[in-house]
Amino acid sequence: MDSNPCWHPTDSLAPLPAPRNLKVHLYNAQQALSWEPVSLDSDPRPVVYQVQYKYSTSSNWYDVNKEDSKVDCTNLTRTECDFTANSLSEGFPWRFNISLRVRAKLGPLVSAWATAPWFEHYRNATIGPPENIRVTPKEGSLIIRLSAPFDVPASEAYFVYHVYYWEKAGGKQVTCCFRSNFITLKDLKPLRVYCFQVKAELCLTKENISRPGLLSNISCSETAADASVKLQQDILAVVTTFLVLLVVVGSCLFLVLKYRGLVKHWFHSPPSIPSQIEEYLKDPDQPILDALDKDSSPKDDAWDSVSIVTFPENEQEGCPQSADPSHQPTEGVL
């Protein structure tokens, strides 16, 4: 039995295994190396990783550190080393063959190196679709503006663009190759919906090598009307407006003729007092208003007395008879 009171776990550990399944990720300007994690069940301490690189023209390996690569991958606790350059003047040169290797470290234990295959960015990178695609409809055409998937040195490489377009109900067509970021699709039908996709292709300046990229998402846009179509639209708008006004006026005239009695009653002005009488009534010196007010109260019906005088039959006309009490005139009330 060991009498040493200080027990070191590494004394009984198996050799530290090397990282496995190394993958180099090259997408547009991105450059990164990833691998599967390494661990020991008998030691809970974290494993750290060290990454190195070398060029095909050299036999020396160099650490991926901030001094050389602007990235520190000498003591990583994660399983990825992202050495994407922030500018064209930084990072690994894209036209060189580069190899990467990584190893694990756990205290005094160090694994063997695991090496990734050689790569050259221009030859092996996946080229994404163009970015910031915008379309402007014109008369019988579409103007497409876009940006390159990523910046490249003009002395080393450039992009050309392929446009796949089709009428929404028709077959697909392709037009190429455009080096400009300003593309015009001509000879299109006016007022038709066209859909399109754009693909960028990376071409090397000094070598006959190219890398086709991925297609963009489908975009659709309607072309604008040309001069003849605009004229037809204007004429149609004028005729439509005239017909609508004609129908409205005709309907109003029909209703007026059908209900003219009712319309006349609605618009007939009430009878007015003649101006002479109105002035007379407004004169405060005239007592007729007071008289009308006094006479306006209801009263009992008035009866007039009427006297009726009768004569006997033997009375001679024009000669009065002697007074006889039996022949006195009688007075009655009617």
Side-chain angles (χ1 to χ4, degrees), residues 23-307:
K23 295 181 181 179
V24 179
H25 302 272
L26 303 174
Y27 182 83
N28 287 343
Q30 182 184 5
Q31 296 177 333
L33 175 68
S34 65
W35 55 89
E36 290 185 358
V38 175
S39 64
L40 288 178
D41 296 336
S42 57
D43 194 331
R45 291 177 299 175
V47 176
V48 295
Y49 304 93
Q50 178 185 6
V51 179
Q52 291 184 339
Y53 72 94
K54 78 169 184 175
Y55 297 112
S56 60
T57 57
S58 173
S59 58
N60 298 324
W61 289 90
Y62 305 93
D63 285 334
V64 179
N65 53 36
K66 289 187 177 181
E67 183 179 351
D68 297 331
S69 307
K70 307 300 181 182
V71 178
D72 189 4
C73 294
T74 55
N75 289 286
L76 292 173
T77 56
R78 62 182 185 276
T79 58
E80 182 186 58
C81 175
D82 189 345
F83 43 88
T84 302
N86 295 323
S87 66
L88 296 177
S89 61
E90 299 178 358
F92 299 128
W94 290 347
R95 66 184 184 277
F96 287 5
N97 285 328
I98 299 173
S99 181
L100 298 170
R101 67 180 186 178
V102 59
R103 68 179 180 180
K105 295 186 294 184
L106 179 61
L109 294 180
V110 179
S111 73
W113 289 101
T115 305
W118 292 91
F119 71 90
E120 180 184 339
H121 193 90
Y122 283 138
R123 295 174 183 266
N124 302 110
T126 299
I127 310 303
E131 298 182 349
N132 303 320
I133 298 177
R134 303 175 301 279
V135 59
T136 303
K138 293 294 183 179
E139 296 182 4
S141 64
L142 294 176
I143 298 177
I144 301 173
R145 296 177 175 86
L146 48 83
S147 301
F150 59 99
D151 295 331
V152 294
S155 60
E156 297 178 0
Y158 59 91
F159 286 102
V160 295
Y161 302 99
H162 305 256
V163 181
Y164 300 83
Y165 69 97
W166 61 95
E167 193 176 344
K168 200 166 187 179
K172 183 175 292 188
Q173 304 180 51
V174 60
T175 179
C176 88
C177 299
F178 302 93
R179 292 189 60 173
S180 171
N181 295 355
F182 185 91
I183 302 172
T184 302
L185 300 180
K186 300 179 180 179
D187 301 327
L188 305 181
K189 298 177 181 178
L191 298 178
R192 298 293 181 89
V193 177
Y194 285 85
C195 300
F196 65 90
Q197 291 178 285
V198 186
K199 179 178 69 176
E201 182 178 3
L202 178 64
C203 301
L204 301 185
T205 304
K206 298 179 180 180
E207 301 179 53
N208 189 20
I209 298 175
S210 63
R211 290 284 297 173
L214 303 177
L215 282 170
S216 66
N217 294 330
I218 297 176
S219 301
C220 298
S221 182
E222 183 180 14
T223 56
D226 56 17
S228 60
V229 175
K230 288 183 179 179
L231 180 60
Q232 294 176 3
Q233 290 178 336
D234 294 340
I235 295 175
L236 181 61
V238 172
V239 172
T240 302
T241 304
F242 176 76
L243 292 177
V244 170
L245 292 176
L246 186 62
V247 171
V248 172
V249 173
S251 301
C252 294
L253 182 60
F254 171 77
L255 294 175
V256 169
L257 293 178
K258 184 176 181 180
Y259 301 100
R260 57 183 177 181
L262 184 59
V263 173
K264 183 177 180 181
H265 173 72
W266 285 347
F267 292 98
H268 181 70
S269 59
S272 59
I273 302 175
S275 59
Q276 297 84 352
I277 299 178
E278 185 177 2
E279 292 179 0
Y280 177 77
L281 294 176
K282 291 181 178 180
D283 188 356
D285 297 334
Q286 301 298 331
I288 185 170
L289 296 178
D290 296 337
L292 290 175
D293 291 338
K294 293 179 180 179
D295 293 342
S296 61
S297 59
K299 296 180 179 180
D300 297 336
D301 294 341
W303 296 88
D304 295 333
S305 297
V306 179
S307 298

